[in-house]
Amino acid sequence: MLKESILRYKEKGFKLTPQRIAIFEYLDGNTSHPSAEDIYKGVKEKYPTISFATVYNTIQALRDKGEVLELMIDSKRRHYDPNVSPHHHTICMKCNKIGDMFFDFAEKVVLRDEHLSGFEVLSSQINFYGTCGDCL
Ligand code: ZN
Ligand code: MN
């Protein structure tokens, strides 16, 4: 899977440096919705010389090419999600953990308001705030 995504990045014109590959590795299949700081800390363990700017710029480039989602659900920091398929998120208000919710609500949404008639829903993202199983 990682090999496939690295090939895809290459096709999209990413310059593949060892540090960038380390960032791709960190993100590949990562479901923890890390912040830029988390990614920096994680990659630094393997590449102690990597700079925060390199990590940040790589994530922004991935975001611009549609390879990671930038989540704005935390007012303190942005979180990143390598899973760009349509899904929703749960946010624990005690430990701030962000979880995935794969459920298609679109077909359940009935737009009753008159001013919305003729509006076609193309995508939606719902944030569910509450308490996670670990914190309960
Ligand atoms: Zn929690
Ligand atoms: Mn997610």
Side-chain angles (χ1 to χ4, degrees):
M1 218 167 106
L2 178 66
K3 224 175 178 182
E4 274 170 39
S5 36
I6 286 178
L7 280 176
R8 202 173 60 238
Y9 297 147
K10 209 175 174 182
E11 276 167 19
K12 288 200 174 184
F14 274 103
K15 244 178 80 189
L16 292 178
T17 64
Q19 294 185 334
R20 281 194 157 184
I21 290 173
I23 296 168
F24 300 156
E25 260 170 15
Y26 181 86
L27 287 172
D28 189 58
N30 190 323
T31 58
S32 70
H33 306 91
S35 64
E37 289 79 10
D38 295 330
I39 299 166
Y40 173 60
K41 275 184 210 153
V43 175
K44 210 174 173 284
E45 285 176 16
K46 216 172 159 186
Y47 286 89
T49 56
I50 200 163
S51 70
F52 181 76
T54 300
V55 172
Y56 188 77
N57 293 337
T58 304
I59 307 166
Q60 297 302 301
L62 286 168
R63 180 203 61 186
D64 292 346
K65 298 211 188 220
E67 291 290 334
V68 296
L69 284 179
E70 187 172 58
L71 306 176
M72 313 284 230
I73 43 190
D74 180 347
S75 59
K76 291 185 209 94
R77 57 187 67 84
R78 293 171 186 186
H79 293 261
Y80 297 91
D81 193 344
N83 184 353
V84 295
S85 67
H87 65 284
H88 309 284
H89 291 103
T90 57
I91 301 99
C92 176
M93 293 176 80
K94 288 197 171 146
C95 70
N96 296 317
K97 191 163 67 194
I98 301 170
D100 288 318
M101 188 183 272
F102 297 94
F103 188 83
D104 186 6
F105 293 96
E107 55 196 38
K108 304 256 190 272
V109 175
V110 181
L111 300 173
R112 291 174 211 273
D113 288 349
E114 237 166 53
H115 70 277
L116 285 176
S117 67
F119 184 90
E120 184 193 4
V121 178
L122 294 175
S123 74
S124 66
Q125 217 193 91
I126 307 171
N127 301 325
F128 296 87
Y129 295 87
T131 313
C132 78
D134 292 339
C135 289
L136 264 180

